[in-house]
Amino acid sequence: MTKINGFSAAPAGTGAAGLEYSLPMAGGASTEITQRHAESPTAAVGAPFRVLALDGGGIRGFFTARLLEGLIEHAGGDPRQTDFGAAFKLIVGTSIGALLAAAIAAGIPLGRLASLFREQGVAIFPRPAPFGWRNLAWCAWHWRRPSADARALRGVLDSLFGTTTLGQLFATRGVALCVPATDLRGARGHVLATPHRAARTASSELALVDACMASCAAPMLLPPLRLPAAGIEGAYWCDGGLWATSPVLVALAEALAIAPPECPIEILSVGTCAMPVPAAVIARPPGRGIGLWIRGLRAVQVTGDAQAEGAVDLARRLVPELRRNVRLIRLREPDPTDEDAAEVRLDNCSPRAFAAMERLALAAVALNGLDTGDPTSDRACVAACLRAAVEAKPLKTH
């Protein structure tokens, strides 16, 4: 049993604070990931136990990446070099949030992630669900096949993580990572995690790529998959968003389990900008039956957005009842217009959709501006978190 970053961890590799590792990557390439938390401001005595929780939402994860990138720039950092993961002890992400969470935990800069969404989005989602009568043809074509390209997504994940496992990530970085997924066969939620405590060792040999693929396998978009190293025999894994689109409750429970009793807990929860159903759609007479829900994957999107909002609201109500010093901060989001909602969907990677998400992300940066006049405010808390990341050792760029 070894201790890394204050955690007692099952052996999952070798390493000590401040050492650099070369982790195995696809095709024989390698990447250097530095264990940073021994020198990070978050490791200081009395510092809060910071947690990052990232929602799912398909390609809307671009909004999340651009929002965080914009906040880093606002704090004086360079998104291409700032080690955002250095500010956190625990990172939790669902679906596309799992991809972002794993990348941030691994020390991959947010600037690279936002670019990947733009460059690879169309390859991953080549046939977005349409509106109107064309949706019937789309449903027929995809009756027995998913609409997104799992091979393209796996290629992106391979380029980010190679063959790195959850255990290797924790041994190298000292960042606890939790990824909600769903066992389709057992119809129950499960958390794939780094071995940062004794109860989280079952998936230590699972590749980060496979953990992200499991959490991202949204209904109709991507196929479920089997993961022999995930610790549950016979499980068939699919989207964690079926039960934890916002993983804030997972983050809260895990933080309570691993944070030192005397340490205050701060949870930063980030969404993907929930989209309304346009008023014209609700008012349209034939739009209240099955057609309302199958067009544009509306059933999946509305379910996820409503469930995320419910989870955050429940966590807010729960926090004051805890016998711990816990603070939950949900980054504010702008109100999208009906025009935005017509473009920004789970699988739409059109230039207009990216332009709308870019505009909404910039508006969200302004809403969450780092005014620190009140040192006890949520904005001051976010500012302190960003400073911890900006002041950490810069990432190497290749």
Side-chain angles (χ1 to χ4, degrees):
M1 191 73 69
T2 58
K3 276 204 168 186
I4 300 175
N5 192 23
F7 299 115
S8 292
T14 59
L19 297 183
E20 293 191 352
Y21 295 72
S22 183
L23 296 184
M25 297 292 285
S30 67
T31 184
E32 289 185 347
I33 300 177
T34 306
Q35 211 293 1
R36 301 202 181 274
H37 277 278
E39 57 189 344
S40 167
T42 60
V45 176
F49 186 97
R50 291 196 178 101
V51 183
L52 179 65
L54 302 174
D55 288 12
I59 197 60
R60 284 164 31 191
F62 175 77
F63 166 88
T64 308
R66 285 294 291 124
L67 167 55
L68 294 175
E69 191 178 11
L71 287 174
I72 288 172
E73 290 175 337
H74 200 50
D78 182 349
R80 298 167 298 177
Q81 292 186 310
T82 297
D83 187 355
F84 190 53
F88 301 96
K89 298 290 187 69
L90 168 66
I91 303 178
V92 186
T94 299
S95 198
I96 197 65
L99 185 157
L100 289 169
I104 292 169
I108 295 169
L110 283 161
R112 181 182 176 192
L113 297 176
S115 297
L116 271 177
F117 281 114
R118 282 190 182 277
E119 295 165 3
Q120 302 298 326
V122 172
I124 297 170
F125 299 109
R127 295 173 293 276
F131 290 112
W133 293 108
R134 290 179 300 156
N135 190 262
L136 296 177
W138 184 90
C139 289
W141 177 253
H142 295 293
W143 189 257
R144 297 180 62 86
R145 56 175 72 86
S147 65
D149 191 330
R151 289 177 298 182
L153 176 59
R154 183 173 286 275
V156 169
L157 293 169
D158 279 337
S159 72
L160 292 173
F161 309 124
T163 58
T164 303
T165 66
L166 287 162
Q168 289 171 327
L169 172 69
F170 185 68
T172 303
R173 292 274 296 176
V175 181
L177 174 68
C178 290
V179 175
T182 301
D183 172 10
L184 182 61
R185 177 173 168 78
R188 60 181 181 267
H190 189 72
V191 176
L192 306 173
T194 52
H196 50 269
R197 62 185 177 107
R200 293 294 190 203
T201 58
S203 50
S204 63
E205 298 303 315
L206 182 66
L208 279 174
V209 170
D210 288 332
C212 291
M213 288 294 295
S215 191
C216 287
M220 295 181 281
L221 291 175
L222 290 162
L225 68 158
R226 297 192 186 279
L227 299 175
I232 298 181
E233 189 68 29
Y236 209 37
W237 297 98
C238 60
D239 189 13
L242 290 174
W243 66 279
T245 298
S246 174
V248 65
L249 289 171
V250 176
L252 176 59
E254 198 69 18
L256 290 171
I258 64 178
E262 71 284 356
C263 193
I265 297 170
E266 293 179 359
I267 301 174
L268 180 63
S269 173
V270 190
T272 58
C273 200
M275 289 292 129
V277 176
V281 173
I282 300 296
R284 192 179 301 136
R288 298 178 184 176
I290 294 174
L292 170 65
W293 296 104
I294 64 173
R295 295 176 182 178
L297 297 177
R298 189 170 286 123
V300 178
Q301 180 160 290
V302 173
T303 300
D305 288 344
Q307 187 234 89
E309 183 64 26
V312 172
D313 183 63
L314 183 59
R316 281 179 175 145
R317 294 171 184 268
L318 183 61
V319 163
E321 307 301 323
L322 300 172
R323 296 180 180 178
R324 289 289 299 270
N325 184 356
V326 179
R327 183 169 195 160
L328 170 61
I329 301 168
R330 176 74 167 182
L331 289 187
R332 298 172 63 192
E333 298 174 354
D335 294 324
T337 65
D338 282 359
E339 289 73 22
D340 291 329
E343 295 294 338
V344 180
R345 306 192 300 277
L346 299 177
D347 61 344
N348 186 17
C349 297
S350 70
R352 292 176 64 177
F354 276 115
M357 287 188 283
E358 178 81 21
R359 185 176 63 255
L360 290 166
L362 292 176
V365 171
L367 286 173
N368 296 281
L370 309 179
D371 179 8
T372 57
D374 178 3
T376 65
S377 68
D378 284 353
R379 288 189 176 191
C381 228
V382 173
C385 174
L386 292 167
R387 280 197 303 271
V390 170
E391 292 170 4
K393 181 180 177 182
L395 292 164
K396 293 181 179 180
T397 54
H398 298 280

